[in-house]
Amino acid sequence: QQLQGILCASPSPCVVSLGDLGESKSVDQTEQIFSGTSASFRLASAYLNSYGYPFEVITGNHDLEGMDEFSTDGANLEAFCNILGKPKPYFKREVANKTLLIGLATTAFRDAVYSSHEVYVDDEQLRWFEETLKSCPASDGWRVFVFSHAPPTGSGLRVVQALHVVNGCCWLNHSKSNAGRFIELVKEHRCIKAWFSGHFHLGQDYQDSITFPDGDRRGSCVFAQTGVMGSRSSRDKRRQSRLIRGNRKGFTISTIDHGEPGRRGGGKG
């Protein structure tokens, strides 16, 4: 209800999910986990549609875990798209004049060379991302907001050292030779104003849950960690979402605290 009230007051509302739509189970359980299944996609679709406003969704690493139901990553991705009503697991959406949302999806789990939980943006999708950015020059007044399940290397966001870093699944394309390409694109394209990611299941109130442009290191981009909504999915008991609102001067990024109804914090971008 709180989120619906905010969306209702927006001139161009849109909900974006960063993936991991279902919960995994403990490794000592052998039955099919819920995440990555048709049932998890149907539940997520019903929830996202319940807002009554447009929504976009990208895959997280756990959304390709439907191992018993789907024999290939392609079949798992196809079910994800079909059930959620999306043509592809990644997206672009213009929400206002020269204001573009771009979502990048992970496409490999079974086919991963190293960690199955590495968030992998395939070559075709990366080329699409590059071409899309070229068509939105900052000199023409474009503002681009990027969404991915994991952050790019170089973002400076808080990570889980003992899990994601050591297992090679911390940043986008972590083990690949093109892992640094994403931060290079941020530097090349000043139209990218903010980049939102999740993956670590951490709250948003750490000092390094949000980072700001730092000389030539991060272009003109603010990087923001995004939390989780479900209590069982949180690593630090925080349950939070991000709220982005544009204004004449730029945009603001706020926190919706699902653990404390009505609490909302904010910052300027």
Side-chain angles (χ1 to χ4, degrees), residues 52-73:
Y53 294 98
F55 74 86
E56 297 291 351
V57 58
I58 53 177
T59 46
N61 49 297
H62 291 293
D63 294 316
L64 297 180
E65 285 186 320
M67 304 287 284
D68 290 350
E69 184 177 358
F70 307 105
S71 60
T72 66
D73 288 334

Side-chain angles (χ1 to χ4, degrees), residues 126-189:
L126 182 55
R127 286 192 295 270
W128 168 85
F129 183 41
E130 293 176 341
E131 291 303 313
T132 301
L133 291 175
K134 289 178 183 178
S135 68
C136 303
S139 58
D140 284 351
W142 280 92
R143 298 168 296 273
V144 175
F145 297 82
V146 183
F147 303 83
S148 61
H149 186 68
T153 181
S155 61
L157 293 175
R158 173 172 290 251
V159 301
V160 182
Q161 295 281 347
L163 179 61
H164 300 98
V165 176
V166 299
N167 287 321
C169 59
C170 187
W171 300 285
L172 291 176
N173 293 21
H174 186 132
S175 68
K176 307 299 185 294
S177 60
N178 63 359
R181 182 56 181 150
F182 301 97
I183 198 68
E184 290 174 359
L185 289 170
V186 169
K187 296 175 185 178
E188 292 172 15
H189 298 279

Side-chain angles (χ1 to χ4, degrees), residues 213-239:
D214 183 11
D216 291 330
R217 294 174 61 192
R218 302 187 190 110
S220 300
C221 182
V222 174
F223 289 93
Q225 163 73 25
T226 306
V228 301
M229 299 183 75
S231 58
R232 292 178 59 183
S233 300
S234 177
R235 284 195 167 91
D236 55 11
K237 298 184 180 180
R238 292 168 172 84
R239 298 167 51 221

Side-chain angles (χ1 to χ4, degrees), residues 6-158:
I6 294 170
L7 292 168
C8 183
S10 170
S12 184
C14 182
V15 176
V16 178
S17 170
L18 298 181
D20 278 5
L21 303 180
E23 290 184 333
S24 294
K25 293 182 178 179
S26 172
V27 293
D28 60 1
Q29 297 188 41
T30 58
E31 67 267 29
Q32 168 66 56
I33 57 180
F34 184 61
S35 58
T37 62
S38 293
S40 75
F41 300 153
R42 285 193 291 268
L43 183 62
S45 178
Y47 173 75
L48 292 169
N49 277 294
S50 72
Y51 284 108
Y53 294 98
F55 74 86
E56 297 291 351
V57 58
I58 53 177
T59 46
N61 49 297
H62 291 293
D63 294 316
L64 297 180
E65 285 186 320
M67 304 287 284
D68 290 350
E69 184 177 358
F70 307 105
S71 60
T72 66
D73 288 334
N76 214 157
L77 284 165
E78 183 178 8
F80 176 92
C81 293
N82 289 342
I83 294 172
L84 286 152
K86 300 298 178 182
K88 295 181 179 180
Y90 54 94
F91 72 87
K92 66 177 180 178
R93 175 187 287 267
E94 189 170 356
V95 292
N97 182 42
K98 294 186 176 182
T99 302
L100 189 69
L101 310 183
I102 297 178
L104 301 176
T106 184
T107 58
F109 188 86
R110 300 156 188 79
D111 298 334
V113 177
Y114 299 107
S115 172
S116 292
H117 292 285
E118 179 180 9
V119 179
Y120 173 63
V121 177
D122 58 85
D123 291 343
E124 178 182 353
Q125 188 180 169
L126 182 55
R127 286 192 295 270
W128 168 85
F129 183 41
E130 293 176 341
E131 291 303 313
T132 301
L133 291 175
K134 289 178 183 178
S135 68
C136 303
S139 58
D140 284 351
W142 280 92
R143 298 168 296 273
V144 175
F145 297 82
V146 183
F147 303 83
S148 61
H149 186 68
T153 181
S155 61
L157 293 175
R158 173 172 290 251

